[in-house]
Amino acid sequence: MTVVTPEQHGLTAHSDGGWDASDKGFVPVQTRSERPKSFAHGDFAAVNGLEAEWKLTPVKLVKPLIDDALDGSPYEITIDAPEGATVEWVPRGDSRVASAGAPEERASANAWSTFEQALAITLTGEEHSTVRISRSALGATARGAHTVITAGAHSNTTVIIESAGEALLSENVEVVVEEGATLNFVSVQDWAADAIHLSSHFVQVGRSATLKHTIVSLGGKVVRVNPSVHLSGEGADGELYGLYFADAGQHLEQRVYLHHQAAQTRGRVNYKGALQGEGARTVWVGDVLIGSGGAGTDSYEQNRNLVLTEGTRADSIPNLEIETGDIQGAGHASATGRFDDEQLFYLQARGISEAEARRLVVIGFLAEIVQKVGDEQLEARLTTAIESELQGSRS
């Protein structure tokens, strides 16, 4: 792990990946894994919105979370945890904190610098169980938060964290999946219409361990989630899924990084989104790096966006870097388009109204990701939420 120090030439000034020709001898970051990391907010340069990491984000709206003081105190949560799972607040000095990664940008470092206690979720049961955590009382105060999830060796658990209500939140989520463990982690952002949420996820997947990581973003004015997943143990398997539905004036952003560090690892990235309404905006940036130690890697990433109305914008940027020639396969794809007229015609020709036909097409398009959630109760709620989005009945 690289940690920025003031003595490192150029890193403080260019920690968001920027480049200034006046800095003679400074070489800009060329590879995703080379980005400098630090736990200190001051080690990152001020954000002006021109940086590669921020140029697609409405910086003016999220500025308080980047630079202002944050309330790092514990917040109210509802917990449903079975035997074999422990959920507790732990101090900053707990050994589980900083076990999965470190901030790569200023907002993440601000949250890391200010949290008082971390929400620690520890999983040990080998028979599959589900942990449910919900939070809906964060309020409008600017907050910094930290969560650490540790899936013990050979454990088998689904962890669902659902967020709703008002929020002005910047947080870091650490996930460690130990040897032979299976973890299905689902994060649902269904915030109130004016909520702003920045989140960085740092994940380490160990030897022969399996991770399914799903991000669902439906509510909020600005929601930006950055998962950084490292397949660090031989034979590790990582599946990264995402589902988002942007309405008028809403900005939903995902920046996904999957690093194949160890040999014989498998990775799949599949994010799907829909957009409707004037000013609806989505951003998806997918980075897959197959490192020099990733012999035998099998990897594929894709992003699909369905545009439902005029006045929307979807940015989709897939990137693939390969540092070894000894792989099973790797690829990436991206597509953004409107309704398939042939699908609509087929349905209407069988007596289905245009409105119902459009509903069926959208539900079918997003169902692939909904079905990956792995929890029937949540899958049913998500399907209902998507239908409400289509009807324009969600606030």
Side-chain angles (χ1 to χ4, degrees):
M1 181 183 300
T2 302
V3 178
V4 176
T5 63
E7 292 75 22
Q8 289 177 282
H9 172 69
L11 287 182
T12 298
H14 300 284
S15 59
D16 284 306
W19 177 76
D20 186 341
S22 66
D23 279 331
K24 295 177 174 55
F26 174 74
V27 179
V29 172
Q30 300 293 313
T31 304
R32 179 66 172 78
S33 60
E34 294 176 351
R35 289 184 183 175
K37 303 174 178 65
S38 175
F39 301 106
H41 174 260
D43 282 341
F44 295 94
V47 175
N48 58 30
L50 300 179
E51 302 85 357
E53 269 296 285
W54 293 101
K55 65 181 182 180
L56 300 177
T57 307
V59 170
K60 289 183 179 179
L61 295 177
V62 303
K63 195 71 171 176
L65 295 176
I66 297 176
D67 290 318
D68 291 1
L70 305 177
D71 178 358
S73 61
Y75 48 86
E76 182 180 340
I77 57 175
T78 301
I79 304 169
D80 180 4
E83 185 177 350
T86 302
V87 181
E88 58 185 335
W89 293 99
V90 299
R92 292 178 59 90
D94 188 273
S95 60
R96 287 164 288 188
V97 175
S99 58
E104 296 181 1
E105 42 90 346
R106 192 173 172 95
S108 176
N110 195 27
W112 201 299
S113 300
T114 56
F115 80 90
E116 296 174 6
Q117 297 183 64
L119 180 65
I121 304 169
T122 305
L123 313 167
T124 59
E126 295 188 16
E127 184 176 345
H128 181 264
S129 61
T130 300
V131 176
R132 302 178 192 275
I133 297 175
S134 61
R135 52 186 184 178
S136 59
L138 272 68
T141 301
R143 283 185 170 274
H146 201 96
T147 300
V148 182
I149 301 173
T150 307
H154 306 292
S155 62
N156 184 359
T157 315
T158 293
V159 175
I160 299 172
I161 299 180
E162 297 189 66
S163 302
E166 288 186 306
L168 182 57
L169 173 67
S170 182
E171 68 175 339
N172 294 293
V173 179
E174 297 188 77
V175 180
V176 175
V177 188
E178 296 181 353
E179 181 175 352
T182 298
L183 175 64
N184 175 24
F185 174 48
V186 185
S187 177
V188 181
Q189 285 64 238
D190 196 13
W191 299 108
D194 59 349
I196 296 177
H197 180 206
L198 305 181
S199 182
S200 293
H201 293 196
F202 309 98
V203 185
Q204 296 287 340
V205 185
R207 182 182 179 88
S208 300
T210 300
L211 167 75
K212 184 161 66 171
H213 180 282
T214 305
I215 298 295
V216 179
S217 295
L218 300 174
K221 186 173 182 61
V222 178
V223 177
R224 171 178 148 133
V225 184
N226 301 340
S228 178
V229 177
H230 301 262
L231 303 180
S232 48
E234 183 174 353
D237 189 295
E239 296 185 355
L240 283 60
Y241 299 107
L243 167 68
Y244 48 94
F245 198 127
D247 287 319
Q250 200 174 17
H251 180 101
L252 303 179
E253 181 171 344
Q254 294 85 193
R255 292 176 174 267
V256 187
Y257 175 42
L258 177 61
H259 187 184
H260 294 266
Q261 290 180 289
Q264 306 300 321
T265 56
R266 173 184 174 272
R268 292 293 184 270
V269 180
N270 189 5
Y271 273 61
K272 283 189 168 185
L275 303 88
Q276 69 177 6
E278 188 69 30
R281 175 81 183 276
T282 63
V283 174
W284 181 86
V285 180
D287 290 309
V288 172
L289 171 61
I290 301 175
S292 57
T297 287
D298 177 11
S299 187
Y300 192 81
E301 69 166 340
Q302 68 173 358
N303 175 228
R304 298 283 188 268
N305 297 292
L306 184 59
V307 176
L308 307 181
T309 66
E310 299 288 343
T312 65
R313 173 176 170 178
D315 289 278
S316 181
I317 307 171
N319 301 301
L320 174 62
E321 300 176 78
I322 304 174
E323 296 179 337
T324 176
D326 183 14
I327 63 173
Q328 291 189 34
H332 62 313
S334 168
T336 299
R338 300 181 181 277
F339 278 107
D340 187 325
D341 291 336
E342 290 187 5
Q343 285 183 320
L344 290 177
F345 176 79
Y346 177 86
L347 292 170
Q348 289 181 267
R350 279 149 182 78
I352 298 174
S353 68
E354 181 179 354
E356 178 64 9
R358 287 178 177 272
R359 187 189 72 84
L360 291 173
V361 169
V362 175
I363 293 296
F365 174 73
L366 298 176
E368 178 186 4
I369 306 300
V370 172
Q371 293 168 1
K372 297 294 186 180
V373 166
D375 181 82
E376 291 184 4
Q377 177 181 331
L378 181 55
E379 289 175 5
R381 293 211 310 274
L382 292 177
T383 299
T384 300
I386 293 169
E387 292 183 340
S388 297
E389 293 274 9
L390 289 168
Q391 296 168 5
S393 59
R394 286 166 59 85
S395 59

